[in-house]
Amino acid sequence: MTASPTRIIVAGGGPAGLIAAGRAAENGTSVVLLEKMPRPGLKLGLTGKGRCNLTNIAPLEEFIGHFQPHGLFLRQAFHRFFSDDLLRFLETLGVATVTERGGRVFPESQDAGTIVSALVRWAEGSGVRIRTGSRVQGPVLEGGRVTGVRWTGADGAPRTETAHALIVATGGLSYPGTGSTGDGYGFARTAGHAIEDTRPALVPLVTAGGIAARLQGLPLKNVKLTLIVDGKAAVSGFGEMLFTHFGLSGPIVLTASLAAVDALRQKKSVEAGIDLKPALDEAKLDRRLQRDLREHGRMEAANVLKLLLPRSMIPVCLELCRIDPARPGHQVTAEERKRLLAWLKDFRLTVTGHRPVSEAIVTAGGVRLSEVDPRTMESRLVRGLYFCGEVLDLQADTGGYNLQAAFSTGRLAGEAAARFRS
Ligand SMILES: Cc1cc2nc3c(=O)[nH]c(=O)nc-3n(C[C@H](O)[C@H](O)[C@H](O)COP(=O)(O)OP(=O)(O)OC[C@H]3O[C@@H](n4cnc5c(N)ncnc54)[C@H](O)[C@@H]3O)c2cc1C
């Protein structure tokens, strides 16, 4: 008896590829998943600082809004399989979840490994043959459709395998040590697809001078960050950020980063303005400063500021505002107080660059969406070729949105590929 011919090959065993493969197998097709790393789901295992923020319970419209500017492409995929469906599905796999601040959902185990092993178990249990150490080299195309896949095993020997469909789930370019090295863009180009400019998104920003380095390790909560591009406020966000030895990181910085990346690429000037007291308008903050300086008039300015700022910020603040740290509170002049007020509301740093795409959380750009059918994830150019997950020109804010997109597009691609008849 001969083995039944492979019908679907999935390239990449991340969240998109695992769910695509498992879903196609559940629908009765023969599925092989080729993963080039020794284990599938290496990046998935790192997500959410190892806790895996797997989705978000935000309602659909809000959810889609986190994928600017291409969220609408996801409507059908989300319609078929959204966050509540994902949570129910995980429950059937025995994975309990918890919802945290901001609607972020994590496995109850607080361990991303739980998600990886549940998905691998489910995919294999559904009949998927997972071959690790197997690198896909590209599709074999004949007469405008997929007829096979070229790949190399651990021995490096080139092989060709017949397939009716290839699902490309190779991810983006970030954290290449996990296997995501952009291979799928090459497969897409071979098939005639355009690739939208790939660049880092959700990436830390580099700032000029040594100020950030002096504050290195300092987290700030409840601050407002505004990116100023060519002198105009471009985007702003409220929440947490972090100073690092090279510049700025943390959630609100990552969220704003793509706007900075794009502006810098266009040679525009970019600054970050931090409002350290967003809950107080200038008039209220000024009254508060006057009161503190009056009530603690004998105290040195550096000590008065302890009422307002984290300790490590005080020397930087006084230096930038040109105030003598030893000056008693009541001797701080109106001019000095004005400078202090302006600084507290708009601590400016010049953004000179960003960390490389290898350190980004996601890759912006990718397979052009107008060339992919959003109802099936099938290529509009080549029959039997599917794309899902981060290889597509999609990226979202932090909060679990990117993983939900990988799961939703992967599941849709798996279902559609299982129905596909060449
Ligand atoms: C540090 C970090 C933390 C993150 N945290 C979160 C989070 O908490 N929540 C969230 O929503 N998103 C998070 N993300 C983003 C999220 O991980 C990605 O968007 C998601 O993993 C994309 O899934 P994917 O399946 O498309 O690609 P990937 O997860 O990148 O998987 C692609 C797979 O394809 C394999 N592959 C590549 N080329 C080949 C080839 N030629 N042949 C065979 N196999 C190949 C790779 O080895 C890899 O296993 C995080 C990202 C990083 C880097």
Side-chain angles (χ1 to χ4, degrees):
M1 209 172 85
T2 53
S4 62
T6 296
R7 300 210 53 241
I8 297 175
I9 292 181
V10 178
L18 284 169
I19 202 162
R23 189 63 184 153
E26 272 188 343
N27 280 270
T29 45
S30 163
V31 184
V32 173
L33 187 154
L34 301 176
E35 166 54 56
K36 72 178 177 190
M37 301 304 279
R39 280 184 293 126
L42 285 182
K43 184 181 282 180
L44 182 57
L46 295 180
T47 55
K49 300 201 170 100
R51 298 199 301 134
C52 186
N53 177 194
L54 51 101
T55 187
N56 195 293
I57 56 161
L60 183 65
E61 294 309 319
E62 187 187 328
F63 208 108
I64 283 177
H66 284 280
F67 286 85
Q68 291 302 341
H70 297 310
L72 286 181
F73 177 85
L74 288 165
R75 189 176 285 281
Q76 322 235 15
F78 286 161
H79 182 69
R80 295 292 292 267
F81 189 73
F82 196 43
S83 49
D84 47 347
D85 304 304
L86 175 65
L87 300 187
R88 266 196 301 276
F89 166 64
L90 289 172
E91 208 181 313
T92 65
L93 305 186
V95 178
T97 54
V98 288
T99 304
E100 297 189 3
R101 197 165 43 89
R104 293 162 188 250
V105 184
F106 296 83
E108 197 178 59
S109 63
Q110 303 287 316
D111 177 6
T114 311
I115 303 292
V116 179
S117 46
L119 284 175
V120 170
R121 241 190 346 263
W122 164 75
E124 288 183 329
S126 305
V128 178
R129 281 168 290 157
I130 298 180
R131 289 193 210 139
T132 53
S134 305
R135 178 190 296 260
V136 173
Q137 302 290 352
V140 180
L141 307 172
E142 277 169 37
R145 63 187 185 88
V146 169
T147 57
V149 172
R150 291 178 294 104
W151 61 285
T152 44
D155 58 4
R159 297 171 167 86
T160 301
E161 193 146 331
T162 313
H164 297 83
L166 168 64
I167 300 178
V168 179
T170 45
L173 286 161
S174 70
Y175 281 60
T178 63
S180 315
T181 49
D183 301 9
Y185 306 134
F187 310 161
R189 281 198 190 97
T190 308
H193 279 271
I195 304 300
E196 300 294 351
D197 205 8
T198 53
R199 57 217 194 275
L202 302 182
V203 70
L205 298 177
V206 177
T207 54
I211 297 212
R214 283 171 65 188
L215 298 171
Q216 166 176 181
L218 174 71
L220 294 178
K221 282 189 176 162
N222 302 325
V223 295
K224 181 177 167 194
L225 175 90
T226 303
L227 271 191
I228 300 122
V229 174
D230 276 353
K232 286 198 198 106
V235 284
S236 60
F238 174 85
E240 292 176 31
M241 57 169 287
L242 176 74
F243 291 96
T244 68
H245 64 284
F246 54 77
L248 309 175
S249 190
I252 53 174
V253 173
L254 297 182
T255 298
S257 62
L258 183 57
V261 169
D262 285 342
L264 290 165
R265 287 161 76 95
Q266 292 162 32
K267 308 270 178 258
K268 294 182 175 168
S269 78
V270 182
E271 290 172 292
I274 306 166
D275 181 347
L276 294 156
K277 298 288 164 195
L280 302 176
D281 64 21
E282 287 205 9
K284 273 197 190 129
L285 183 57
D286 196 28
R287 282 199 295 279
R288 163 88 195 266
L289 281 177
Q290 290 185 46
R291 194 193 67 205
D292 286 351
L293 291 167
R294 193 178 57 243
E295 285 180 4
H296 306 279
R298 286 161 188 254
M299 220 186 246
E300 293 182 346
N303 286 328
V304 180
L305 280 181
K306 284 184 192 158
L307 302 166
L308 275 170
L309 287 174
R311 195 173 286 251
S312 59
M313 274 196 120
I314 295 171
V316 172
C317 161
L318 290 168
E319 188 181 312
L320 293 175
C321 296
R322 303 190 307 283
I323 300 173
D324 177 359
R327 181 181 289 252
H330 64 86
Q331 282 182 22
V332 171
T333 65
E335 195 53 41
E336 286 171 333
R337 198 186 74 238
K338 220 167 123 191
R339 287 202 294 270
L340 182 57
L341 175 67
W343 185 85
L344 288 168
K345 292 299 284 177
D346 187 7
F347 169 19
R348 282 281 172 114
L349 293 115
T350 303
V351 177
T352 53
H354 54 80
R355 299 299 283 181
V357 70
S358 56
E359 292 176 30
I361 301 291
V362 287
T363 307
V367 175
R368 182 173 288 170
L369 298 179
S370 59
E371 296 173 354
V372 177
D373 186 339
R375 294 166 303 178
T376 57
M377 298 295 139
E378 189 181 8
S379 159
R380 292 191 196 271
L381 310 183
V382 170
R383 300 234 49 216
L385 182 63
Y386 295 79
F387 298 99
C388 55
E390 204 178 311
V391 72
L392 290 163
D393 177 22
L394 287 169
Q395 81 284 327
D397 301 330
T398 57
Y401 308 104
N402 285 296
L403 280 175
Q404 179 69 50
F407 288 127
S408 297
T409 55
R411 193 169 187 278
L412 191 52
E415 273 177 6
R419 281 197 310 271
F420 175 72
R421 298 287 173 266
S422 56

